[in-house]
Coordinates of all heavy atoms in Angstrom, one line a residue:
M29 N 40.2 -36.1 -133.6 CA 39.4 -36.8 -134.5 C 40.2 -37.6 -135.5 O 41.3 -37.2 -135.9 CB 38.6 -35.7 -135.4 CG 37.7 -36.4 -136.3 SD 36.8 -35.2 -137.4 CE 37.3 -35.9 -139.0
N30 N 39.7 -38.8 -135.7 CA 40.4 -39.7 -136.7 C 40.2 -39.2 -138.1 O 39.1 -38.8 -138.5 CB 39.7 -41.1 -136.5 CG 40.4 -42.1 -137.4 OD1 41.4 -41.8 -138.1 ND2 40.0 -43.3 -137.4
T31 N 41.2 -39.1 -138.9 CA 41.0 -38.5 -140.2 C 41.3 -39.5 -141.4 O 41.2 -39.2 -142.6 CB 42.1 -37.4 -140.5 OG1 43.4 -37.9 -140.3 CG2 41.8 -36.2 -139.5
T32 N 41.5 -40.8 -141.1 CA 41.8 -41.8 -142.1 C 40.7 -43.0 -142.0 O 40.4 -43.4 -140.9 CB 43.1 -42.4 -141.9 OG1 44.1 -41.4 -141.8 CG2 43.5 -43.4 -143.0
Y33 N 40.1 -43.3 -143.2 CA 39.3 -44.4 -143.2 C 40.1 -45.7 -143.1 O 41.0 -45.9 -143.9 CB 38.4 -44.4 -144.6 CG 37.3 -43.4 -144.6 CD1 37.5 -42.2 -145.3 CD2 36.2 -43.5 -143.9 CE1 36.5 -41.2 -145.3 CE2 35.1 -42.6 -144.0 CZ 35.4 -41.4 -144.7 OH 34.4 -40.5 -144.7
E34 N 39.7 -46.6 -142.2 CA 40.5 -47.8 -142.0 C 39.9 -48.9 -142.9 O 38.8 -49.2 -142.9 CB 40.3 -48.2 -140.6 CG 40.9 -47.2 -139.5 CD 42.4 -47.0 -139.7 OE1 43.1 -47.9 -140.1 OE2 42.8 -45.9 -139.3
A35 N 40.8 -49.4 -143.7 CA 40.5 -50.5 -144.6 C 40.1 -51.8 -143.9 O 39.2 -52.6 -144.3 CB 41.6 -50.8 -145.7
A36 N 40.8 -52.0 -142.7 CA 40.5 -53.2 -141.9 C 39.4 -52.8 -140.9 O 39.6 -52.1 -140.0 CB 41.7 -53.7 -141.2
E37 N 38.2 -53.3 -141.1 CA 37.1 -53.0 -140.3 C 36.9 -53.9 -139.1 O 37.3 -55.0 -139.2 CB 35.8 -53.0 -141.1 CG 35.4 -54.3 -141.7 CD 34.2 -54.3 -142.6 OE1 34.0 -53.3 -143.3 OE2 33.5 -55.3 -142.6
P38 N 36.4 -53.4 -138.0 CA 36.1 -54.3 -136.8 C 35.0 -55.2 -137.2 O 34.2 -54.9 -138.1 CB 35.8 -53.3 -135.7 CG 35.3 -52.1 -136.4 CD 36.0 -52.0 -137.7
R39 N 34.9 -56.3 -136.5 CA 33.8 -57.2 -136.7 C 32.6 -56.6 -136.0 O 32.7 -55.9 -135.0 CB 34.1 -58.6 -136.1 CG 35.2 -59.4 -136.9 CD 35.5 -60.8 -136.4 NE 35.0 -61.1 -135.1 CZ 35.7 -61.1 -134.0 NH1 37.0 -60.7 -134.1 NH2 35.2 -61.5 -132.8
R40 N 31.4 -57.0 -136.4 CA 30.2 -56.5 -135.8 C 30.1 -56.8 -134.4 O 29.7 -56.0 -133.5 CB 28.9 -57.1 -136.6 CG 27.6 -56.6 -136.0 CD 27.4 -55.1 -136.1 NE 26.3 -54.6 -135.4 CZ 25.2 -54.2 -135.9 NH1 25.0 -54.2 -137.2 NH2 24.1 -53.8 -135.2
E41 N 30.5 -58.1 -134.0 CA 30.5 -58.5 -132.6 C 31.4 -57.5 -131.7 O 31.1 -57.2 -130.6 CB 31.0 -59.9 -132.4 CG 30.2 -61.0 -133.1 CD 30.5 -61.0 -134.6 OE1 31.6 -60.7 -135.1 OE2 29.6 -61.4 -135.4
E42 N 32.5 -57.1 -132.3 CA 33.4 -56.1 -131.5 C 32.7 -54.8 -131.4 O 32.8 -54.2 -130.3 CB 34.7 -55.9 -132.3 CG 35.6 -57.2 -132.4 CD 36.8 -57.1 -133.3 OE1 36.7 -56.3 -134.3 OE2 37.8 -57.7 -133.0
V43 N 32.0 -54.3 -132.4 CA 31.3 -53.1 -132.3 C 30.2 -53.1 -131.3 O 30.0 -52.3 -130.5 CB 30.8 -52.7 -133.7 CG1 29.8 -51.4 -133.6 CG2 31.9 -52.3 -134.6
D44 N 29.4 -54.2 -131.3 CA 28.4 -54.4 -130.4 C 28.8 -54.4 -128.9 O 28.1 -54.1 -128.0 CB 27.6 -55.7 -130.7 CG 26.8 -55.6 -132.0 OD1 26.6 -54.5 -132.5 OD2 26.4 -56.6 -132.5
A45 N 30.1 -54.8 -128.7 CA 30.6 -54.9 -127.3 C 31.3 -53.7 -126.9 O 31.7 -53.6 -125.7 CB 31.6 -56.1 -127.3
L46 N 31.4 -52.6 -127.7 CA 32.0 -51.4 -127.3 C 31.2 -50.7 -126.2 O 30.0 -50.6 -126.3 CB 32.1 -50.5 -128.5 CG 33.1 -50.9 -129.6 CD1 33.0 -50.0 -130.8 CD2 34.5 -50.9 -129.1
E47 N 31.9 -50.2 -125.2 CA 31.3 -49.5 -124.1 C 31.4 -48.0 -124.3 O 32.4 -47.5 -125.0 CB 32.0 -49.9 -122.8 CG 31.7 -51.3 -122.4 CD 32.3 -51.7 -121.0 OE1 32.8 -50.8 -120.3 OE2 32.2 -52.8 -120.7
G48 N 30.5 -47.3 -123.9 CA 30.5 -45.8 -124.0 C 30.0 -45.3 -125.3 O 29.4 -46.0 -126.1
A49 N 30.4 -44.1 -125.6 CA 29.9 -43.4 -126.8 C 30.9 -43.7 -128.0 O 32.1 -43.5 -127.8 CB 29.8 -41.9 -126.6
T50 N 30.3 -44.1 -129.1 CA 31.1 -44.4 -130.3 C 30.4 -43.9 -131.5 O 29.1 -44.0 -131.6 CB 31.3 -45.9 -130.4 OG1 32.0 -46.5 -129.2 CG2 32.1 -46.3 -131.6
V51 N 31.1 -43.4 -132.4 CA 30.5 -43.1 -133.8 C 31.3 -43.8 -134.8 O 32.5 -43.8 -134.9 CB 30.7 -41.6 -134.0 CG1 30.1 -41.2 -135.4 CG2 29.9 -40.8 -133.0
L52 N 30.6 -44.6 -135.6 CA 31.1 -45.2 -136.8 C 30.8 -44.3 -138.0 O 29.7 -43.9 -138.2 CB 30.4 -46.6 -137.0 CG 30.6 -47.7 -136.0 CD1 29.8 -48.9 -136.4 CD2 32.1 -48.0 -135.8
E53 N 31.9 -44.0 -138.7 CA 31.7 -43.2 -139.9 C 32.0 -44.0 -141.1 O 33.2 -44.5 -141.3 CB 32.6 -42.0 -139.9 CG 32.5 -41.1 -141.1 CD 33.5 -40.0 -141.2 OE1 34.0 -39.5 -140.1 OE2 33.7 -39.5 -142.2
F54 N 31.0 -44.3 -142.0 CA 31.3 -45.2 -143.1 C 31.4 -44.3 -144.3 O 30.7 -43.4 -144.5 CB 30.0 -46.0 -143.4 CG 29.9 -47.1 -142.3 CD1 29.1 -46.9 -141.2 CD2 30.5 -48.4 -142.5 CE1 28.9 -47.9 -140.2 CE2 30.4 -49.3 -141.5 CZ 29.6 -49.1 -140.4
G55 N 32.4 -44.5 -145.1 CA 32.7 -43.8 -146.4 C 33.9 -44.3 -147.0 O 34.4 -45.4 -146.8
T56 N 34.5 -43.5 -147.9 CA 35.7 -43.9 -148.6 C 36.6 -42.6 -148.8 O 36.0 -41.5 -148.9 CB 35.5 -44.5 -150.0 OG1 34.9 -43.4 -150.9 CG2 34.6 -45.7 -150.0
P57 N 37.9 -42.7 -149.0 CA 38.7 -41.6 -149.2 C 38.5 -40.9 -150.5 O 38.8 -39.7 -150.7 CB 40.1 -42.1 -149.0 CG 40.1 -43.6 -149.2 CD 38.7 -44.0 -148.9
W58 N 37.9 -41.6 -151.5 CA 37.7 -41.0 -152.8 C 36.3 -40.4 -153.0 O 36.0 -39.9 -154.1 CB 38.0 -42.0 -153.9 CG 37.3 -43.4 -153.7 CD1 37.9 -44.5 -153.2 CD2 36.0 -43.7 -154.1 NE1 36.9 -45.5 -153.1 CE2 35.7 -45.0 -153.7 CE3 35.0 -43.0 -154.7 CZ2 34.5 -45.7 -153.9 CZ3 33.7 -43.6 -154.9 CH2 33.5 -44.9 -154.5
C59 N 35.4 -40.6 -152.1 CA 34.0 -40.1 -152.2 C 34.0 -38.6 -152.0 O 34.4 -38.1 -150.9 CB 33.2 -40.8 -151.1 SG 31.6 -40.1 -150.7
G60 N 33.5 -37.9 -153.0 CA 33.4 -36.5 -152.9 C 32.5 -36.0 -151.8 O 32.8 -35.0 -151.1
F61 N 31.4 -36.7 -151.5 CA 30.5 -36.3 -150.4 C 31.2 -36.5 -149.1 O 31.1 -35.6 -148.2 CB 29.3 -37.1 -150.4 CG 28.3 -36.9 -151.5 CD1 28.2 -37.8 -152.5 CD2 27.5 -35.7 -151.5 CE1 27.3 -37.5 -153.6 CE2 26.6 -35.4 -152.5 CZ 26.5 -36.4 -153.6
C62 N 32.0 -37.5 -149.0 CA 32.8 -37.8 -147.7 C 33.8 -36.7 -147.5 O 34.0 -36.2 -146.4 CB 33.5 -39.1 -147.8 SG 32.4 -40.5 -148.0
R63 N 34.6 -36.3 -148.6 CA 35.6 -35.3 -148.5 C 35.0 -33.9 -148.1 O 35.5 -33.2 -147.3 CB 36.4 -35.2 -149.7 CG 37.3 -36.4 -149.9 CD 38.3 -36.2 -151.0 NE 37.8 -35.6 -152.2 CZ 37.5 -36.3 -153.3 NH1 37.8 -37.6 -153.4 NH2 37.1 -35.7 -154.4
A64 N 33.8 -33.6 -148.7 CA 33.2 -32.4 -148.5 C 32.7 -32.2 -147.0 O 32.6 -31.1 -146.5 CB 32.1 -32.2 -149.5
A65 N 32.3 -33.4 -146.5 CA 31.7 -33.4 -145.1 C 32.8 -33.3 -144.0 O 32.5 -33.1 -142.8 CB 30.8 -34.6 -144.9
Q66 N 34.0 -33.6 -144.4 CA 35.1 -33.6 -143.3 C 35.2 -32.4 -142.4 O 35.3 -32.5 -141.2 CB 36.4 -34.0 -143.9 CG 36.4 -35.5 -144.4 CD 35.9 -36.5 -143.5 OE1 36.4 -36.7 -142.3 NE2 34.8 -37.2 -143.8
P67 N 35.2 -31.2 -143.0 CA 35.3 -30.0 -142.0 C 34.1 -29.9 -141.1 O 34.3 -29.6 -139.9 CB 35.3 -28.8 -143.1 CG 35.8 -29.4 -144.3 CD 35.3 -30.8 -144.4
L68 N 33.0 -30.2 -141.5 CA 31.8 -30.3 -140.7 C 31.9 -31.3 -139.6 O 31.6 -31.1 -138.4 CB 30.5 -30.5 -141.6 CG 29.2 -30.4 -140.9 CD1 28.9 -29.0 -140.4 CD2 28.1 -30.9 -141.9
I69 N 32.3 -32.5 -140.0 CA 32.5 -33.6 -139.0 C 33.6 -33.3 -138.0 O 33.4 -33.4 -136.8 CB 32.7 -34.9 -139.7 CG1 31.5 -35.3 -140.6 CG2 33.1 -36.0 -138.8 CD1 31.7 -36.5 -141.5
A70 N 34.7 -32.7 -138.5 CA 35.7 -32.3 -137.6 C 35.3 -31.2 -136.6 O 35.6 -31.3 -135.4 CB 36.9 -31.8 -138.4
G71 N 34.5 -30.3 -137.1 CA 33.9 -29.3 -136.2 C 33.1 -29.9 -135.1 O 33.1 -29.5 -133.9
A72 N 32.2 -30.9 -135.4 CA 31.4 -31.5 -134.5 C 32.1 -32.3 -133.4 O 31.7 -32.3 -132.3 CB 30.3 -32.4 -135.2
F73 N 33.2 -32.8 -133.9 CA 34.1 -33.7 -132.9 C 35.1 -33.0 -132.2 O 35.8 -33.5 -131.3 CB 34.7 -34.9 -133.7 CG 33.7 -36.0 -133.9 CD1 33.0 -36.0 -135.1 CD2 33.6 -37.0 -133.0 CE1 32.1 -37.0 -135.3 CE2 32.7 -38.0 -133.2 CZ 31.9 -38.1 -134.4
A74 N 35.3 -31.7 -132.5 CA 36.4 -30.9 -131.9 C 36.3 -30.9 -130.4 O 37.4 -30.9 -129.7 CB 36.3 -29.4 -132.4
S75 N 35.2 -30.8 -129.8 CA 35.1 -30.8 -128.3 C 34.6 -32.2 -127.7 O 34.0 -32.2 -126.6 CB 34.1 -29.7 -127.9 OG 32.8 -29.9 -128.4
Q76 N 34.7 -33.2 -128.5 CA 34.2 -34.5 -128.1 C 35.3 -35.6 -127.9 O 35.3 -36.7 -128.5 CB 33.2 -35.0 -129.1 CG 32.0 -34.1 -129.4 CD 31.2 -33.9 -128.1 OE1 31.0 -34.8 -127.2 NE2 30.6 -32.7 -128.0
A77 N 36.3 -35.2 -127.1 CA 37.5 -36.1 -127.0 C 37.1 -37.4 -126.4 O 37.8 -38.5 -126.7 CB 38.5 -35.4 -126.1
K78 N 36.0 -37.6 -125.7 CA 35.7 -38.8 -125.0 C 34.9 -39.8 -126.0 O 34.6 -40.9 -125.6 CB 34.9 -38.6 -123.8 CG 35.7 -37.9 -122.7 CD 35.0 -37.7 -121.4 CE 35.8 -37.1 -120.4 NZ 35.1 -36.9 -119.1
V79 N 34.5 -39.3 -127.1 CA 33.7 -40.1 -128.1 C 34.7 -40.8 -129.0 O 35.5 -40.2 -129.7 CB 32.8 -39.2 -128.9 CG1 32.0 -40.0 -129.9 CG2 31.7 -38.4 -128.0
R80 N 34.5 -42.1 -129.0 CA 35.3 -43.0 -129.9 C 34.8 -42.7 -131.3 O 33.6 -42.9 -131.6 CB 35.2 -44.4 -129.5 CG 36.0 -45.4 -130.2 CD 35.8 -46.9 -129.8 NE 36.1 -47.1 -128.5 CZ 35.2 -47.3 -127.5 NH1 33.9 -47.3 -127.8 NH2 35.5 -47.5 -126.3
H81 N 35.7 -42.4 -132.3 CA 35.4 -42.2 -133.7 C 36.1 -43.2 -134.5 O 37.3 -43.1 -134.7 CB 35.7 -40.7 -134.0 CG 35.3 -40.3 -135.4 ND1 35.9 -39.3 -136.1 CD2 34.4 -40.8 -136.3 CE1 35.4 -39.2 -137.3 NE2 34.5 -40.1 -137.4
I82 N 35.3 -44.0 -135.1 CA 35.9 -45.1 -136.0 C 35.5 -44.8 -137.4 O 34.3 -44.9 -137.7 CB 35.6 -46.5 -135.6 CG1 35.9 -46.7 -134.1 CG2 36.1 -47.5 -136.5 CD1 35.4 -48.0 -133.5
K83 N 36.5 -44.6 -138.3 CA 36.2 -44.3 -139.7 C 36.4 -45.6 -140.5 O 37.5 -46.1 -140.4 CB 37.1 -43.2 -140.3 CG 36.8 -41.9 -139.6 CD 37.7 -40.8 -140.2 CE 37.3 -40.5 -141.6 NZ 37.2 -39.1 -141.9
V84 N 35.3 -46.1 -141.1 CA 35.4 -47.4 -141.7 C 35.3 -47.2 -143.3 O 34.3 -46.7 -143.7 CB 34.3 -48.3 -141.2 CG1 34.3 -49.6 -141.9 CG2 34.3 -48.5 -139.8
E85 N 36.2 -47.7 -144.0 CA 36.2 -47.6 -145.4 C 35.2 -48.7 -145.9 O 35.3 -49.9 -145.6 CB 37.5 -47.9 -146.1 CG 37.5 -47.7 -147.6 CD 38.8 -47.8 -148.2 OE1 39.9 -47.5 -147.6 OE2 38.9 -48.1 -149.4
D86 N 34.1 -48.2 -146.5 CA 33.0 -49.1 -146.9 C 33.0 -49.4 -148.4 O 33.8 -48.8 -149.1 CB 31.7 -48.4 -146.5 CG 30.5 -49.4 -146.5 OD1 30.7 -50.6 -146.2 OD2 29.4 -48.9 -146.8
G87 N 32.3 -50.4 -148.8 CA 32.2 -50.8 -150.2 C 31.4 -52.1 -150.3 O 31.0 -52.7 -149.4
P88 N 31.2 -52.5 -151.6 CA 30.5 -53.7 -151.8 C 31.2 -54.9 -151.1 O 32.4 -55.0 -151.2 CB 30.6 -53.9 -153.4 CG 30.8 -52.5 -153.9 CD 31.6 -51.8 -152.8
G89 N 30.3 -55.7 -150.5 CA 30.8 -56.9 -149.8 C 31.5 -56.7 -148.4 O 32.0 -57.6 -147.8
K90 N 31.5 -55.4 -148.0 CA 32.1 -55.1 -146.7 C 31.1 -55.5 -145.6 O 30.0 -54.8 -145.5 CB 32.5 -53.7 -146.5 CG 33.6 -53.3 -147.5 CD 35.0 -53.7 -146.9 CE 36.1 -52.9 -147.5 NZ 37.2 -53.0 -146.6
P91 N 31.3 -56.5 -144.7 CA 30.3 -57.0 -143.9 C 29.8 -56.0 -142.8 O 28.6 -56.0 -142.5 CB 31.0 -58.2 -143.2 CG 32.4 -58.2 -143.5 CD 32.6 -57.2 -144.7
L92 N 30.7 -55.1 -142.3 CA 30.2 -54.2 -141.3 C 29.2 -53.2 -141.8 O 28.1 -53.0 -141.3 CB 31.4 -53.5 -140.6 CG 31.0 -52.6 -139.3 CD1 30.4 -53.5 -138.2 CD2 32.2 -51.9 -138.8
G93 N 29.5 -52.6 -143.0 CA 28.6 -51.7 -143.6 C 27.3 -52.3 -144.0 O 26.2 -51.8 -143.8
R94 N 27.3 -53.6 -144.4 CA 26.1 -54.3 -144.8 C 25.3 -54.6 -143.5 O 24.0 -54.6 -143.6 CB 26.4 -55.6 -145.5 CG 27.2 -55.5 -146.8 CD 26.7 -54.6 -147.9 NE 26.6 -53.2 -147.7 CZ 27.6 -52.3 -147.7 NH1 28.8 -52.7 -147.9 NH2 27.3 -51.0 -147.4
S95 N 26.0 -54.9 -142.4 CA 25.2 -55.2 -141.2 C 24.4 -54.0 -140.7 O 23.5 -54.1 -140.0 CB 26.2 -55.8 -140.1 OG 26.9 -54.8 -139.5
F96 N 24.9 -52.8 -141.0 CA 24.3 -51.6 -140.6 C 23.4 -51.0 -141.7 O 22.8 -49.9 -141.6 CB 25.3 -50.5 -140.1 CG 25.8 -50.7 -138.7 CD1 27.0 -51.3 -138.5 CD2 25.0 -50.2 -137.6 CE1 27.4 -51.5 -137.2 CE2 25.5 -50.4 -136.4 CZ 26.7 -51.0 -136.1
R97 N 23.3 -51.8 -142.8 CA 22.5 -51.4 -144.0 C 22.8 -50.0 -144.5 O 22.0 -49.2 -144.8 CB 21.0 -51.4 -143.6 CG 20.6 -52.8 -143.2 CD 19.1 -52.8 -142.9 NE 18.7 -54.1 -142.2 CZ 18.2 -55.2 -142.8 NH1 18.1 -55.2 -144.1 NH2 17.9 -56.2 -142.1
I98 N 24.1 -49.7 -144.6 CA 24.6 -48.5 -145.2 C 24.3 -48.4 -146.6 O 24.7 -49.4 -147.4 CB 26.1 -48.3 -144.9 CG1 26.4 -48.4 -143.4 CG2 26.7 -47.0 -145.5 CD1 25.7 -47.3 -142.5
K99 N 23.8 -47.3 -147.1 CA 23.4 -47.2 -148.5 C 24.2 -46.0 -149.1 O 24.5 -46.0 -150.3 CB 21.9 -46.9 -148.7 CG 21.0 -48.0 -148.1 CD 21.0 -49.2 -149.0 CE 20.0 -50.2 -148.5 NZ 20.3 -51.5 -148.9
L100 N 24.4 -44.9 -148.4 CA 25.0 -43.7 -148.9 C 26.2 -43.3 -148.0 O 26.2 -43.6 -146.8 CB 24.0 -42.5 -148.9 CG 22.8 -42.7 -149.8 CD1 21.8 -41.6 -149.5 CD2 23.2 -42.7 -151.3
W101 N 27.1 -42.6 -148.5 CA 28.3 -42.1 -147.8 C 28.4 -40.6 -147.8 O 27.9 -40.0 -148.7 CB 29.6 -42.6 -148.4 CG 29.7 -44.1 -148.6 CD1 29.3 -45.1 -147.7 CD2 30.4 -44.8 -149.7 NE1 29.6 -46.3 -148.2 CE2 30.3 -46.2 -149.4 CE3 31.0 -44.4 -150.9 CZ2 30.8 -47.1 -150.3 CZ3 31.4 -45.4 -151.7 CH2 31.4 -46.7 -151.4
P102 N 28.9 -40.1 -146.8 CA 29.2 -40.7 -145.5 C 27.9 -40.9 -144.7 O 27.0 -40.2 -144.7 CB 30.1 -39.7 -144.8 CG 29.7 -38.4 -145.3 CD 29.2 -38.6 -146.7
T103 N 28.0 -42.0 -143.9 CA 26.9 -42.2 -143.0 C 27.6 -42.4 -141.6 O 28.5 -43.2 -141.5 CB 26.1 -43.5 -143.3 OG1 25.3 -43.3 -144.5 CG2 25.1 -43.8 -142.2
L104 N 27.1 -41.6 -140.6 CA 27.6 -41.7 -139.3 C 26.6 -42.4 -138.4 O 25.4 -42.0 -138.3 CB 28.0 -40.3 -138.7 CG 29.1 -39.6 -139.4 CD1 28.6 -38.8 -140.6 CD2 29.9 -38.8 -138.4
V105 N 27.0 -43.5 -137.8 CA 26.2 -44.2 -136.8 C 26.6 -43.9 -135.4 O 27.8 -44.2 -135.1 CB 26.2 -45.8 -137.2 CG1 25.3 -46.6 -136.2 CG2 25.8 -46.0 -138.6
F106 N 25.7 -43.5 -134.6 CA 26.0 -43.0 -133.2 C 25.5 -44.1 -132.3 O 24.4 -44.5 -132.3 CB 25.3 -41.7 -132.9 CG 25.8 -40.6 -133.8 CD1 25.4 -40.4 -135.1 CD2 26.7 -39.6 -133.2 CE1 25.9 -39.4 -135.9 CE2 27.1 -38.6 -133.9 CZ 26.8 -38.5 -135.3
L107 N 26.5 -44.7 -131.5 CA 26.2 -45.8 -130.6 C 26.6 -45.5 -129.2 O 27.4 -44.7 -128.9 CB 27.2 -47.0 -131.0 CG 27.2 -47.4 -132.5 CD1 28.4 -48.4 -132.7 CD2 25.9 -48.1 -132.9
K108 N 25.7 -46.1 -128.3 CA 26.0 -46.0 -126.9 C 26.0 -47.4 -126.3 O 25.0 -48.1 -126.6 CB 24.9 -45.1 -126.2 CG 25.0 -45.1 -124.7 CD 26.2 -44.1 -124.3 CE 26.2 -43.9 -122.8 NZ 27.0 -42.8 -122.5
D109 N 27.1 -47.8 -125.8 CA 27.3 -49.2 -125.3 C 26.9 -50.2 -126.4 O 26.2 -51.2 -126.1 CB 26.5 -49.4 -124.1 CG 27.0 -48.5 -122.9 OD1 28.2 -48.2 -122.9 OD2 26.2 -48.1 -122.1
G110 N 27.3 -50.0 -127.6 CA 27.1 -50.9 -128.7 C 25.7 -50.9 -129.4 O 25.4 -51.6 -130.3
H111 N 24.8 -50.0 -128.9 CA 23.5 -49.9 -129.5 C 23.3 -48.6 -130.3 O 23.6 -47.5 -129.8 CB 22.4 -49.9 -128.4 CG 22.4 -51.2 -127.6 ND1 21.9 -52.4 -128.1 CD2 22.9 -51.4 -126.3 CE1 22.1 -53.3 -127.1 NE2 22.7 -52.7 -126.1
E112 N 22.8 -48.7 -131.5 CA 22.5 -47.5 -132.3 C 21.4 -46.7 -131.8 O 20.3 -47.1 -131.5 CB 22.2 -48.0 -133.8 CG 22.0 -46.8 -134.7 CD 21.7 -47.1 -136.1 OE1 22.0 -48.3 -136.5 OE2 21.2 -46.2 -136.8
L113 N 21.7 -45.4 -131.6 CA 20.7 -44.4 -131.0 C 20.4 -43.3 -132.0 O 19.4 -42.7 -131.9 CB 21.2 -43.8 -129.7 CG 21.4 -44.8 -128.6 CD1 21.8 -44.0 -127.3 CD2 20.2 -45.6 -128.3
A114 N 21.3 -43.1 -133.0 CA 21.1 -42.1 -134.0 C 21.9 -42.4 -135.2 O 22.9 -43.2 -135.2 CB 21.4 -40.7 -133.5
R115 N 21.5 -41.8 -136.4 CA 22.2 -41.9 -137.7 C 22.1 -40.6 -138.4 O 21.1 -40.1 -138.4 CB 21.6 -43.1 -138.4 CG 22.2 -43.4 -139.8 CD 21.5 -44.6 -140.4 NE 21.8 -45.8 -139.7 CZ 22.1 -46.9 -140.3 NH1 22.2 -47.0 -141.6 NH2 22.3 -48.0 -139.5
V116 N 23.2 -40.2 -139.0 CA 23.3 -39.0 -139.9 C 23.9 -39.4 -141.2 O 25.0 -39.9 -141.2 CB 24.0 -37.9 -139.2 CG1 24.0 -36.7 -140.2 CG2 23.4 -37.4 -137.9
T117 N 23.2 -39.2 -142.3 CA 23.7 -39.5 -143.6 C 23.9 -38.2 -144.4 O 23.0 -37.4 -144.4 CB 22.7 -40.4 -144.4 OG1 22.6 -41.6 -143.6 CG2 23.3 -40.8 -145.8
R118 N 25.1 -38.1 -145.0 CA 25.5 -36.9 -145.7 C 25.1 -35.6 -145.0 O 24.3 -34.8 -145.4 CB 24.9 -36.9 -147.1 CG 25.5 -38.0 -148.0 CD 25.0 -37.9 -149.4 NE 25.7 -39.0 -150.2 CZ 25.4 -39.4 -151.4 NH1 24.4 -38.7 -152.0 NH2 26.0 -40.3 -152.0
P119 N 25.8 -35.4 -143.8 CA 25.4 -34.2 -143.0 C 25.6 -32.9 -143.8 O 26.5 -32.7 -144.5 CB 26.4 -34.2 -141.9 CG 27.5 -35.2 -142.3 CD 26.9 -36.1 -143.3
Q120 N 24.6 -32.0 -143.6 CA 24.6 -30.7 -144.3 C 24.8 -29.6 -143.3 O 25.1 -28.4 -143.7 CB 23.1 -30.5 -144.9 CG 22.8 -31.5 -146.0 CD 23.8 -31.5 -147.2 OE1 24.0 -30.4 -147.7 NE2 24.4 -32.6 -147.5
G121 N 24.7 -29.9 -142.0 CA 24.9 -28.8 -141.0 C 25.3 -29.4 -139.7 O 25.2 -30.6 -139.4
M122 N 25.7 -28.6 -138.8 CA 26.1 -29.0 -137.4 C 25.0 -29.5 -136.6 O 25.2 -30.4 -135.7 CB 26.9 -27.9 -136.7 CG 28.2 -27.5 -137.3 SD 29.4 -28.8 -137.1 CE 29.9 -28.4 -135.5
E123 N 23.9 -29.0 -136.8 CA 22.7 -29.3 -135.9 C 22.4 -30.8 -135.8 O 22.2 -31.3 -134.7 CB 21.5 -28.5 -136.3 CG 20.3 -28.6 -135.3 CD 20.7 -28.1 -133.9 OE1 21.5 -27.1 -133.8 OE2 20.2 -28.6 -132.9
A124 N 22.3 -31.5 -136.9 CA 22.0 -32.9 -137.0 C 23.2 -33.7 -136.2 O 22.8 -34.6 -135.5 CB 21.9 -33.4 -138.4
L125 N 24.3 -33.3 -136.4 CA 25.5 -34.0 -135.7 C 25.5 -33.7 -134.2 O 25.6 -34.6 -133.4 CB 26.8 -33.5 -136.3 CG 27.1 -33.9 -137.7 CD1 28.3 -33.2 -138.3 CD2 27.2 -35.4 -137.9
R126 N 25.2 -32.5 -133.8 CA 25.1 -32.2 -132.4 C 23.9 -32.9 -131.7 O 24.1 -33.4 -130.6 CB 24.9 -30.7 -132.2 CG 26.1 -29.9 -132.4 CD 25.9 -28.4 -132.0 NE 27.1 -27.6 -132.5 CZ 27.0 -26.5 -133.2 NH1 25.8 -26.1 -133.6 NH2 28.1 -25.9 -133.5
E127 N 22.8 -33.0 -132.3 CA 21.7 -33.7 -131.8 C 22.0 -35.2 -131.7 O 21.7 -35.8 -130.6 CB 20.4 -33.6 -132.7 CG 19.8 -32.2 -132.6 CD 18.6 -32.0 -133.6 OE1 18.2 -33.0 -134.2 OE2 18.2 -30.9 -133.8
A128 N 22.6 -35.8 -132.6 CA 23.0 -37.2 -132.5 C 24.1 -37.4 -131.4 O 24.0 -38.4 -130.7 CB 23.5 -37.6 -133.9
L129 N 25.0 -36.5 -131.3 CA 25.9 -36.6 -130.2 C 25.3 -36.5 -128.8 O 25.7 -37.2 -127.9 CB 27.1 -35.6 -130.3 CG 28.1 -35.8 -131.4 CD1 28.9 -34.6 -131.8 CD2 29.0 -37.0 -131.0
E130 N 24.3 -35.7 -128.7 CA 23.6 -35.6 -127.4 C 22.9 -36.9 -127.1 O 22.8 -37.3 -125.9 CB 22.6 -34.4 -127.5 CG 23.2 -33.0 -127.4 CD 22.1 -31.9 -127.6 OE1 21.0 -32.2 -127.5 OE2 22.6 -30.8 -127.8
K131 N 22.4 -37.6 -128.1 CA 21.7 -38.8 -127.9 C 22.6 -39.9 -127.3 O 22.0 -40.8 -126.6 CB 21.0 -39.3 -129.1 CG 19.8 -38.5 -129.6 CD 19.2 -39.0 -130.8 CE 17.9 -38.2 -131.2 NZ 17.3 -38.6 -132.4
I132 N 23.8 -39.8 -127.6 CA 24.7 -40.9 -127.0 C 25.5 -40.3 -125.8 O 26.4 -40.9 -125.3 CB 25.7 -41.3 -128.1 CG1 26.7 -40.2 -128.7 CG2 25.0 -42.1 -129.2 CD1 27.8 -40.7 -129.5
G133 N 25.0 -39.2 -125.3 CA 25.6 -38.6 -124.0 C 26.8 -37.9 -124.2 O 27.6 -37.8 -123.2
A134 N 27.1 -37.4 -125.3 CA 28.4 -36.6 -125.6 C 28.1 -35.1 -125.3 O 27.0 -34.6 -125.4 CB 28.9 -36.9 -127.0

């Protein structure tokens, strides 16, 4: 599992062209909700080695987050071949993450 939010975000066109199962995690390293959710997210991804996990540092004026209409952190967007199939915001339990992973074939 990726543990660092990347300041350099991919372009939306690059994300839309990704093949297979991908999860975009929008947040920041200083966000309390994001830090609190990390053990839960790590647990959900522990057996998902084939799922691409991209952690994107979000904030005002960041185009990728705006293109996905991100409002709260952390928000995880679950994609299959570049298409959004599920979204989990501020996860509270494993069940929502597992259901979202199932939707993308993980």
